[in-house]
Amino acid sequence: MLLEKIADYAIGEQSSKLPADVIHHAKRAVIDWYAALLPGSVVTPATLLEQAFAEDLDRGRARLATGRRATLRAAALINGAASHSVEFDDIYRDAGYHPGSPVISAALAAAQASGASGERFLRGVIVGYEISTRLGEAIMPSHYKYWHTTGTAGAFGAAAAAATILGANREQFMHALATVGSFASGLQQAFRSQAMTKPLHGGHAADAGCWAAMAAMKGVTGALDIIEGEFGFGNAMSVSPDWSKATRGLGKNYHIVHVTFKNHGCCGHTFPSIDGVLHLQREHQFTHKDVKRIKLATYKAGLDIINNANPEGDYQAKFSIQYTVAHALVHGSVRLNAFLPARLNDADVRAAIKKIDCVADPELSKGYPGQRAAQVEIELNDGRRFAHFQPYRKGDPELPLTDEELNDKFTELAEPVLGKAAAAALLKQLWGTEMLANVDYDTGAGTKRAAG
């Protein structure tokens, strides 16, 4: 049974000697999660969720990003949604999956609620990443036609992380994942509007994982064949899942060291095209005013989601390849300010959008999900033509963000929320997580609040 093999790995990892690079990359994942969490915590839907779940706040031992006390489940839910809101959270490419939002949100809430050490917290994060990324791979790529992997595979990752931190035994661990399998959800339709639902997928997965683990610790049982059973998770949500991928390399080849950290504040499917356009612009020193036409060829699974030449509002703009590439061409980057009203209505950006043509390339489409590539062709008004093949995205394992670049990303996103001194202090704590007696991180008493 699949859950037996997964549980054997997880229980062993509670006391295993973890490789130094795995611990290092787990800390990188937590730092990157906080970089996405903090700006997401002061905008909708997180600010509205604080109102909706007020009775679960200002009590309990877990904390929201702002330092506000919360019950374990409320912290997992609200932080999970907040960390997936500004589209700066990490990606496990081969599963089309954002693991940080559900896994770290659940892990931190469970660790704070139980008074766990920094080392135990990191073990929970690692177990959650290793299990959920593999389950995500096993059901891809067919799963992604209708389902959002962050909400589905993420629920298993959250349950695995929470169960590890709460000290589940083998039987309890299996039942935590067995139970959460019935509640793994998140539909792709949520991507295709200005709705706030997509970030809630990460929050729901974190919450469902936590309560499934909490219930299992008290003896609540689940269907142990929920993953591969005839009417289970795999058959319901994918075509011909490959369960060999679900356990391959567990405890030996750690997926957490191969995570992508975002370098742009938008949907990751837009990244290879953004990177390719910026490469050509740097190399040939032209401006947006010099451009006559841009052709972007990329993979179909991504283009199906991001092909929107007339986005309405900030959320749709984050999922528009035309808008994000045009913004990069005009302003040199796609950071949080790219989605402010002034930028969304920028005449130069809107004019550049009209110069962009997008096509799904059959060969690049075959490489998905293992490769996210784009072929960029630009013609200038003076007749010059330039082309560039972008095989990977900046931030992918092949082109990773360095620790220094990750620090810079954290500082850029955290300082406006926490202030300079508090952001620097938190970053120092995060790099020393494995040495902490507990992970009740100090996010600073002067945290700013903003209406969403």
Side-chain angles (χ1 to χ4, degrees), residues 238-310:
S238 66
V239 178
S240 301
D242 182 356
W243 297 125
S244 68
K245 294 180 179 179
T247 55
R248 186 181 300 160
L250 265 176
K252 298 177 182 178
N253 175 25
Y254 285 85
H255 284 187
I256 201 166
V257 307
H258 302 300
V259 168
T260 294
F261 295 128
K262 283 189 172 185
N263 195 44
H264 310 295
C266 49
C267 178
H269 294 310
T270 68
F271 285 18
S273 296
I274 294 172
D275 290 339
V277 166
L278 290 176
H279 171 83
L280 288 176
Q281 192 174 39
R282 286 192 301 268
E283 187 172 82
H284 300 287
Q285 297 296 302
F286 56 82
T287 73
H288 62 93
K289 295 179 181 179
D290 300 320
V291 173
K292 180 179 180 181
R293 185 182 69 90
I294 298 175
K295 181 181 178 181
L296 306 173
T298 189
Y299 51 97
K300 185 179 185 301
L303 193 60
D304 285 346
I305 293 172
I306 58 177
N307 190 6
N308 182 358
N310 188 31

Side-chain angles (χ1 to χ4, degrees), residues 49-66:
L49 291 175
E50 287 193 43
Q51 298 174 39
F53 296 99
E55 66 180 3
D56 292 312
L57 304 181
D58 302 316
R59 63 186 181 92
R61 298 179 63 188
R63 288 182 180 268
L64 303 186
T66 57

Side-chain angles (χ1 to χ4, degrees), residues 212-228:
M214 294 162 68
M217 298 291 290
K218 299 299 183 182
V220 174
T221 62
L224 295 180
D225 58 353
I226 195 70
I227 296 176
E228 77 276 35

Side-chain angles (χ1 to χ4, degrees), residues 10-87:
I11 298 305
E13 204 76 293
Q14 290 186 14
S15 58
S16 65
K17 181 174 176 55
L18 291 166
D21 68 321
V22 173
I23 295 172
H24 182 76
H25 280 275
K27 291 189 291 185
R28 279 170 55 91
V30 174
I31 289 167
D32 189 76
W33 176 79
Y34 260 104
L37 169 73
L38 289 164
S41 72
V42 295
V43 298
T44 57
T47 52
L48 299 179
L49 291 175
E50 287 193 43
Q51 298 174 39
F53 296 99
E55 66 180 3
D56 292 312
L57 304 181
D58 302 316
R59 63 186 181 92
R61 298 179 63 188
R63 288 182 180 268
L64 303 186
T66 57
R68 190 176 183 184
R69 292 288 180 183
T71 62
L72 192 164
R73 287 186 59 191
L77 171 64
I78 296 172
N79 286 344
S83 59
H84 196 43
S85 291
V86 298
E87 292 294 332

Side-chain angles (χ1 to χ4, degrees), residues 390-425:
Q390 186 71 31
Y392 307 107
R393 306 168 293 190
K394 174 64 175 176
D396 275 342
E398 296 82 2
L399 297 171
L401 296 186
T402 65
D403 287 353
E404 183 178 0
E405 289 172 325
L406 184 61
N407 286 343
D408 289 343
K409 174 183 173 179
F410 174 89
T411 299
E412 175 191 341
L413 297 175
E415 279 191 359
V417 182
L418 299 181
K420 187 173 183 178

Side-chain angles (χ1 to χ4, degrees), residues 322-336:
Q322 292 89 344
Y323 177 83
T324 53
V325 168
H327 189 281
L329 180 68
V330 174
H331 294 287
S333 66
V334 186
R335 313 300 280 189
L336 293 184

